[in-house]
Amino acid sequence: RGCMSRLVNALRTATNLTVLELGWNNIGKEGGAQVLAGALADCPSVTQLSLQFNGLGDSGTKALSSALTVCSQLQMLQLSSNSIQPTGATALGEALPRCMNLRHLEIQRNAPGGRFVQLLHNCTALTHLDLSRCGLDDENIAHCAG
């Protein structure tokens, strides 16, 4: 957590940062996602956020979701392989429509569930959506297709 706190302090001074790639760092362990979420408010210019393979789980995804509401410039979000289950995915799905510029979402290799897929209808700016290896069934896909 000490390393994450130092990173967050650095992010708070990086006001022109547009791309933040933090994949494969175990940020979800020991509250790191919550610490990072608190710093995102100080990075309004971030357009790409990559957090794949971090073990965020539902609690980390919920923390991140609340922070995303202030990321008005966010265009790409990568969350693959983070052990995201329906609870965290629902929080994410409820926050994403407030990311008005979000065009690219990768959430593959998670288990977001049907409610998340339904909430994607509110993400009208999306042009790229990767839900591969999410265990979706016919009913979930029907919701996505409209």
Side-chain angles (χ1 to χ4, degrees):
R1 196 168 187 173
C3 182
M4 180 55 73
S5 294
R6 288 189 291 278
L7 172 64
V8 166
N9 288 335
L11 290 176
R12 289 194 167 123
T13 61
T15 56
N16 293 320
L17 184 70
T18 58
V19 177
L20 182 56
E21 300 218 14
L22 293 171
W24 300 84
N25 280 300
N26 291 318
I27 290 171
K29 308 292 184 208
E30 300 181 28
Q34 287 80 357
V35 174
L36 176 63
L40 285 176
D42 297 321
C43 300
S45 59
V46 170
T47 60
Q48 296 180 29
L49 180 59
S50 298
L51 294 170
Q52 64 273 27
F53 293 93
N54 270 297
L56 297 177
D58 283 340
S59 62
T61 303
K62 286 168 119 179
L64 178 67
S65 297
S66 63
L68 289 178
T69 60
V70 297
C71 296
S72 61
Q73 300 303 311
L74 190 65
Q75 297 174 19
M76 175 187 279
L77 180 60
Q78 297 174 312
L79 294 172
S80 61
S81 298
N82 270 299
S83 303
I84 301 170
Q85 301 295 313
T87 301
T90 297
L92 179 65
E94 290 170 349
L96 288 179
R98 289 181 232 140
C99 298
M100 304 296 273
N101 292 307
L102 186 67
R103 307 278 186 270
H104 185 115
L105 175 62
E106 295 182 14
I107 193 164
Q108 68 269 32
R109 293 186 207 110
N110 287 291
R115 179 73 179 132
F116 174 77
V117 174
Q118 290 173 334
L119 291 168
L120 289 176
H121 275 97
N122 300 319
C123 300
T124 57
L126 279 179
T127 59
H128 178 99
L129 174 62
D130 191 339
L131 291 168
S132 58
R133 301 186 75 183
C134 283
L136 299 176
D137 58 23
D138 290 344
E139 183 178 334
N140 299 140
I141 298 301
H143 287 296
C144 198

